[in-house]
Amino acid sequence: MNTSPKIAVIIPFFQRETGILDRALNSVLAQAYPADSIYVLVIDDGSPVSAKKELEGNSITQRLRVHVLEQANAGPNEARNTGLANLEAGTDLVAYLDSDDEWIGQHLQRAVHALSSGPSNAYFANLFHLGDTTNEFDKAKRVRHEEHLPLGGDPSLRVYQGDMVHQIATANIIFMPSLVINAASLGKARFPQAHRHGGGDYLYWMDLINNGASFVYSTEAEVRCGSGINMWYGSGWGKDGLAMRIVDEARFRRKVLSTYAKADRTKTSLRARLAELQVNMLQDVLHRLRAGKKVNWQTVSMFYRENPPSLAMLAQIAHIIKAKLGRAR
């Protein structure tokens, strides 16, 4: 009798190219985990390429239980909430995967082992971002593994120690397509609305923490990010959509500052980043004007209405501008 934990895999789907979903689902099948203990919820978020049509006649559905849920386009956060609202009875774990990403290695097996071997109820792993050959932990150096206890003597699995709110707010190390959570203890957490361009996943992690999340993580890369909704990763000044990303990041950081941050160092860091975002919005506007690109003044106006600079912030902005001018000389 199969006694493996029952896992729901939630995949928000919005793509303009065919074949991308097939790659993601094949990576689920490639996991060394009993297929009869996995089911996949694909939430078609008003996708130009229909998820149902992608699966028509596809042999994957003969080997893997896949359900497609359709909704009007609302963004990945709302799509994931739809998945959470449709979990089957008896679901033990919820795993997230973006439709343009792939699991590599034994992600599910390692997550189940880690979550069943200690007190933690949330798991995440290292990954390769789009086009990278160096894994994110080695590339960004945002976490010192020796500061976190190995799980059961395995140095590739670490029980996170310390203030995760501060970690997420200042040097995030959690990645959505590697996250696996305990459905029973963390099922009340939900993704926030209206964070289509960024920050919604960060606030979800904050909600997990409020619902009692404790984390164990893998130092091994268990996800490879592909093209598709990851197209914004690494985008720079003047890129279409960057202004709204700045708006959403500011919303995320204000929410953390007002609701989740407890440590003074976290609050100080958040205020400094909000000042940087004030400068970043100005830089984006100037870049677009110099390049002869259209400026979405409605978005710019909304940003400054939501983020009116205080006297303290104006001083920080002046310091940032002075430092940038000094580097430019």
Side-chain angles (χ1 to χ4, degrees):
M1 180 179 177
N2 179 19
T3 58
S4 300
K6 183 177 181 179
I7 302 177
V9 182
I10 294 179
I11 302 179
F13 182 77
F14 183 94
Q15 296 294 346
R16 291 187 170 88
E17 297 179 15
T18 61
I20 293 176
L21 180 59
D22 189 74
R23 187 181 64 203
L25 292 175
N26 271 314
S27 81
V28 177
L29 270 175
Q31 295 291 300
Y33 198 79
D36 58 353
S37 291
I38 305 174
Y39 68 98
V40 181
L41 298 175
V42 177
I43 298 86
D44 186 324
D45 186 43
S47 175
V49 171
S50 165
K52 284 185 176 178
K53 287 186 177 180
E54 286 285 271
L55 293 173
E56 283 181 1
N58 195 318
S59 63
I60 288 177
T61 57
Q62 298 173 12
R63 295 171 289 159
L64 184 66
R65 222 159 34 98
V66 182
H67 306 289
V68 175
L69 307 172
E70 296 180 321
Q71 65 180 36
N73 181 250
N77 296 322
E78 286 79 356
R80 293 182 183 114
N81 282 341
T82 297
L84 289 169
N86 285 275
L87 297 179
E88 294 180 357
T91 298
D92 297 300
L93 302 173
V94 176
Y96 294 95
L97 179 63
D98 290 338
S99 61
D100 49 348
D101 296 338
E102 300 171 87
W103 286 335
I104 56 178
Q106 302 306 323
H107 173 58
L108 291 183
Q109 194 174 58
R110 284 171 60 79
V112 169
H113 167 70
L115 292 173
S116 62
S117 300
S120 301
N121 50 18
Y123 174 91
F124 63 93
N126 199 353
L127 54 61
F128 291 104
H129 270 304
L130 178 62
D132 285 351
T133 56
T134 302
N135 69 69
E136 184 63 15
F137 286 167
D138 287 348
K139 178 183 175 183
K141 301 186 186 304
R142 292 177 171 179
V143 59
R144 293 170 58 89
H145 304 312
E146 63 271 19
E147 295 178 355
H148 307 282
L149 296 175
L151 181 66
D154 183 349
S156 72
L157 293 172
R158 299 279 174 166
V159 180
Y160 184 87
Q161 311 288 303
D163 185 349
M164 183 58 92
V165 169
H166 181 78
Q167 181 78 64
I168 294 169
T170 60
N172 177 57
I173 57 173
I174 304 178
F175 310 111
M176 200 70 240
S178 77
L179 184 64
V180 182
I181 65 169
N182 183 295
S185 61
L186 300 176
K188 292 182 179 179
R190 290 296 182 270
F191 292 83
Q193 307 298 300
H195 277 265
R196 184 182 290 241
H197 299 270
D201 45 1
Y202 285 46
L203 288 173
Y204 175 64
W205 302 326
M206 296 291 179
D207 203 14
L208 288 177
I209 294 168
N210 265 11
N211 279 276
S214 56
F215 296 88
V216 59
Y217 72 91
S218 169
T219 64
E220 294 185 3
E222 298 177 10
V223 179
R224 188 179 304 280
C225 297
S227 60
I229 59 173
N230 285 310
M231 63 186 295
W232 294 115
Y233 174 71
S235 63
W237 305 119
K239 295 287 187 180
D240 293 337
L242 179 59
M244 273 307 304
R245 287 186 64 204
I246 294 173
V247 168
D248 275 353
E249 183 183 345
R251 286 172 175 169
F252 151 67
R253 295 194 182 277
R254 288 200 319 275
K255 179 69 173 179
V256 175
L257 184 60
S258 65
T259 306
Y260 300 105
K262 300 295 188 294
D264 288 340
R265 62 174 184 153
T266 310
K267 295 176 182 179
T268 297
S269 178
L270 288 165
R271 293 188 184 102
R273 180 56 183 162
L274 285 167
E276 288 180 2
L277 291 171
Q278 300 268 357
V279 176
N280 288 351
M281 183 63 82
L282 286 175
Q283 285 182 292
D284 185 55
V285 169
L286 292 173
H287 182 97
R288 296 186 71 84
L289 289 173
R290 285 197 298 265
K293 295 182 177 181
K294 182 179 178 181
V295 175
N296 189 330
W297 292 110
Q298 184 177 0
T299 299
V300 175
S301 176
M302 176 173 60
F303 172 79
Y304 285 105
R305 284 198 309 271
E306 293 181 359
N307 301 276
S310 63
L311 289 176
M313 190 172 290
L314 285 172
Q316 286 181 304
I317 292 170
H319 177 75
I320 293 168
I321 293 173
K322 182 178 180 181
K324 287 180 180 290
L325 290 174
R327 287 196 297 268
R329 289 173 183 168

